[in-house]
C-alpha cells in the first residue's frame, strides 16, 4: 500500500492526456460542483475537471452536507456537455459514475456495491465510501456537473453517519491495496471517461451503452424490500425489482403494481421495516 501527499494537476494531466479538456487542483474551496457551475456559465469546455484537496461546503443530493476533510479523499467534479443526450436521460450519469467508482474499488481489493441512486458502499457492513451528485445546468447547451466524493484514507472519529443513517468508511479502512490518491484519481477519471463516452454515444441509454446489466449486477438495492421516502412526507414500500434504461428504480408494491421512482423525487431509500 502506498500513500502520497498533495495531488498534482501536472501529473494527472500527463497521465490523462487526451481524455479531458482541462484538469485543475485547488487547495480548498467551498464546493467543486458550485465552482464548475460558475465556470460553465463562463463557457468552460466539455470535460473540464476540478479537484479540491478540501471542501468547506461540500454537498450531496438534496443539499446534504458531505464531509470533505483535507488530504483524506478525492473531491472531484467534471463539467460535461453531452450534446444529443435527451434531458430525461441525464440522471443516469450517476449510474455511470457509480460503476466507475466501484470498478476502482474492486481493482484495489475493496468489496464494494452500489446503492441506488447515488451511493457506493464498501466492506461487510456496507458503509458508505462514496457519494455522487449530478446537476443539470440551465442554458442553451446541455450541461451537467458530475461530482464524486470518495473517501480514500480514514476520516477520523468525528465524521457523523450520513442522513440515511449509513456510517462512513474509506477505501483504506476496507483493506485497499493502493491508497495513493493521485493513482486512484487517475484510475477513476480513466474509467469514468471510458464509460461516459459509451453512455454519450448511446444517447444516455444505459441499455444501449451496455451498462445496465453491470449496474443491475452490482446494485445491492435490487431484490430488497425497501421504503422509499418522498418529499411530501409519504412513503412507498415494496420490493426493489429493477433499474430501467434511464437509471430509475422500479418498485413492485403489494397488489401487483410496479412504480417507477425517479432519483430526483427521492428523499431516502431504506430497507423496509420488518
Amino acid at each position: 500500500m502506498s500513500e502520497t501527499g498533495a495531488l498534482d494537476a501536472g501529473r494527472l494531466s500527463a497521465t490523462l492526456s487526451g481524455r479531458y479538456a482541462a484538469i485543475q487542483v485547488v487547495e480548498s474551496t467551498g464546493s467543486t460542483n458550485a465552482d464548475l457551475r460558475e465556470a460553465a456559465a463562463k463557457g468552460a469546455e466539455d470535460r473540464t475537471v476540478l479537484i479540491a484537496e478540501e471542501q468547506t461546503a461540500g454537498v450531496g443530493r438534496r443539499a446534504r452536507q458531505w464531509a470533505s476533510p483535507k488530504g483524506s479523499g478525492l473531491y472531484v467534479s467534471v463539467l460535461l456537455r453531452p450534446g444529443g443526450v435527451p434531458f430525461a436521460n441525464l440522471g443516469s450519469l450517476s449510474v455511470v459514475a457509480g460503476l466507475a467508482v466501484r470498478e476502482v474499488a474492486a481493482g484495489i481489493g475493496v468489496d464494494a456495491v452500489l446503492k441506488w441512486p447515488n451511493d457506493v458502499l464498501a466492506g461487510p457492513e456496507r458503509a458508505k465510501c462514496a457519494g455522487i451528485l449530478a446537476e443539470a445546468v440551465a442554458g442553451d447547451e446541455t450541461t451537467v456537473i458530475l461530482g464524486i466524493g470518495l473517501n480514500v484514507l480514514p476520516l477520523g472519529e468525528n465524521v457523523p453517519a450520513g442522513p440515511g443513517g449509513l456510517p462512513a468508511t474509506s477505501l483504506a479502512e476496507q483493506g485497499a491495496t493502493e491508497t495513493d490518491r493521485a493513482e486512484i484519481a487517475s484510475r477513476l477519471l480513466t474509467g469514468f471517461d471510458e464509460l461516459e463516452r459509451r453512455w454519450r454515444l448511446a444517447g444516455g441509454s444505459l441499455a444501449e451503452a451496455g451498462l445496465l446489466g453491470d449496474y443491475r449486477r452490482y446494485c445491492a438495492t435490487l431484490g430488497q424490500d425497501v421504503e422509499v421516502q418522498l418529499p411530501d412526507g409519504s412513503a412507498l414500500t415494496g420490493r426493489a425489482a429493477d433499474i430501467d434504461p434511464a437509471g430509475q428504480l422500479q418498485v413492485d408494491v403489494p397488489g401487483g403494481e410496479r412504480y417507477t421512482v425517479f432519483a430526483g423525487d427521492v428523499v431516502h431509500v431504506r430497507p423496509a421495516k420488518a
Side-chain angles (χ1 to χ4, degrees), residues 91-117:
S92 60
L93 261 174
S94 293
V95 168
V96 177
L99 287 170
V101 173
R102 195 218 67 86
E103 185 175 302
V104 169
I108 55 176
V110 174
D111 172 29
V113 296
L114 303 169
K115 176 181 179 292
W116 189 89

Side-chain angles (χ1 to χ4, degrees), residues 12-265:
L12 287 170
S13 296
T15 303
L16 298 164
S17 178
R19 295 183 183 272
Y20 294 94
I23 299 175
Q24 182 183 10
V25 177
V26 296
E27 276 293 311
S28 181
T29 191
S31 161
T32 54
N33 264 33
D35 290 351
L36 280 191
R37 283 200 303 272
E38 292 183 9
K42 296 176 182 177
E45 292 184 72
D46 179 28
R47 307 179 82 77
T48 293
V49 177
L50 177 63
I51 304 174
E53 289 282 1
E54 173 190 44
Q55 291 184 123
T56 58
V59 295
R61 282 193 334 111
R62 308 190 73 82
R64 295 166 184 153
Q65 182 178 5
W66 177 266
S68 311
K70 186 171 184 178
S72 63
L74 287 178
Y75 318 119
V76 53
S77 294
V78 185
L79 187 161
L80 299 160
R81 299 188 187 274
V85 175
F87 183 84
N89 287 350
L90 294 180
S92 60
L93 261 174
S94 293
V95 168
V96 177
L99 287 170
V101 173
R102 195 218 67 86
E103 185 175 302
V104 169
I108 55 176
V110 174
D111 172 29
V113 296
L114 303 169
K115 176 181 179 292
W116 189 89
N118 69 324
D119 293 334
V120 182
L121 312 181
E125 297 182 358
R126 297 306 187 214
K128 183 171 178 175
C129 72
I132 296 158
L133 177 64
E135 299 179 293
V137 179
D140 296 334
E141 184 178 7
T142 300
T143 304
V144 181
I145 309 300
L146 189 282
I148 301 173
L150 173 60
N151 301 329
V152 179
L153 301 174
L155 302 175
E157 299 178 357
N158 297 322
V159 176
L166 289 171
T169 190
S170 66
L171 297 177
E173 290 170 285
Q174 299 303 328
T177 58
E178 175 65 78
T179 56
D180 179 341
R181 289 182 305 126
E183 173 62 23
I184 292 173
S186 177
R187 293 189 190 195
L188 176 59
L189 288 168
T190 296
F192 177 72
D193 167 65
E194 293 171 352
L195 295 180
E196 193 275 342
R197 289 181 190 274
R198 288 167 55 184
W199 172 88
R200 191 180 297 206
L201 286 171
S205 169
L206 297 172
E208 292 184 23
L211 301 176
L212 185 56
D214 287 343
Y215 190 79
R216 286 168 170 161
R217 184 177 305 116
Y218 298 120
C219 181
T221 307
L222 292 182
Q224 287 189 346
D225 290 326
V226 296
E227 180 181 273
V228 181
Q229 296 183 349
L230 303 172
D232 64 1
S234 65
L236 180 71
T237 301
R239 176 66 56 90
D242 203 359
I243 302 292
D244 72 14
Q248 311 305 340
L249 181 67
Q250 295 182 326
V251 179
D252 289 344
V253 301
E257 292 182 274
R258 174 168 290 190
Y259 285 87
T260 297
V261 181
F262 296 88
D265 296 338

